[in-house]
């Protein structure tokens, strides 16, 4: 059974372990500043092990942003990602958000549509390329 929680206990070591498994090339990150700025986070655990995560940050008003949706490769294609995102959306609504934004690569469009997102025009600037 998978335990999905809003703002459950979480530390950077667990996140780095999950990200190493899920994202090739991940480098250890200090997640302290990220977690300190979150509106909320949703975690999924199986037998105590972190197997899923999503972060939501807010603008202090009605906009919230979905970041870092991650599911361990051993847990993929079972609906856990959709559960994480829908749980995050409901919690963001409860905390006053009216809009939940997400940026994603084209191959993730179908996943985000299953979560309830609809396509919209957006702009992106790579600040590391300046």
């Amino acid at each position: 059974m998978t335990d999905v929680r809003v703002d459950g206990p979480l530390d950077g070591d667990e996140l780095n372990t999950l990200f190493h498994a899920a994202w090739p090339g991940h480098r250890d990150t200090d997640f302290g500043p990220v977690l300190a700025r979150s509106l909320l986070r949703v975690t999924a655990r199986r037998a105590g092990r972190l197997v899923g995560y999503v972060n939501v940050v807010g603008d202090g008003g009605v906009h919230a942003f979905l970041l870092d949706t991650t599911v361990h490769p051993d847990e993929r294609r079972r609906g856990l990602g959709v559960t994480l995102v829908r749980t995050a959306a409901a919690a963001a609504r409860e905390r006053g958000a009216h809009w939940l934004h997400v940026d994603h690569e084209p191959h993730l469009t179908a996943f985000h549509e299953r979560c309830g997102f609809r396509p919209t025009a957006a702009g992106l600037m790579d600040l590391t390329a300046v």
Side-chain angles (χ1 to χ4, degrees):
M1 172 167 221
T2 304
D3 180 27
V4 176
R5 292 189 188 190
V6 175
D7 294 333
L10 181 65
D11 67 46
D13 290 339
E14 295 180 294
L15 277 173
N16 277 309
T17 299
L18 175 61
F19 277 44
H20 279 296
W23 303 110
H26 172 74
R27 294 184 181 165
D28 281 349
T29 300
D30 176 5
F31 284 100
V34 172
L35 297 175
R37 290 175 176 85
S38 293
L39 175 65
L40 63 99
R41 64 186 180 270
V42 180
T43 56
R45 295 179 181 278
R46 184 179 296 276
R49 180 177 140 232
L50 184 67
V51 296
Y53 165 81
V54 68
N55 187 25
V56 176
V57 296
D59 69 348
V62 297
H63 295 273
F65 303 83
L66 187 73
L67 300 168
D68 297 331
T69 304
T70 303
V71 174
H72 193 282
D74 294 344
E75 301 289 329
R76 290 182 181 159
R77 308 271 184 237
R78 300 182 198 170
L80 181 56
V82 172
T83 297
L84 288 168
V85 172
R86 288 183 180 168
T87 301
R93 183 181 326 105
E94 289 172 7
R95 294 183 187 187
H98 296 191
W99 299 98
L100 184 60
H101 304 259
V102 67
D103 292 323
H104 59 82
E105 295 176 5
H107 71 277
L108 294 171
T109 299
F111 166 75
H112 285 98
E113 287 176 347
R114 281 193 304 279
C115 294
F117 288 94
R118 59 179 170 77
T120 185
L124 179 66
M125 180 186 296
D126 184 350
L127 298 177
T128 64
V130 177

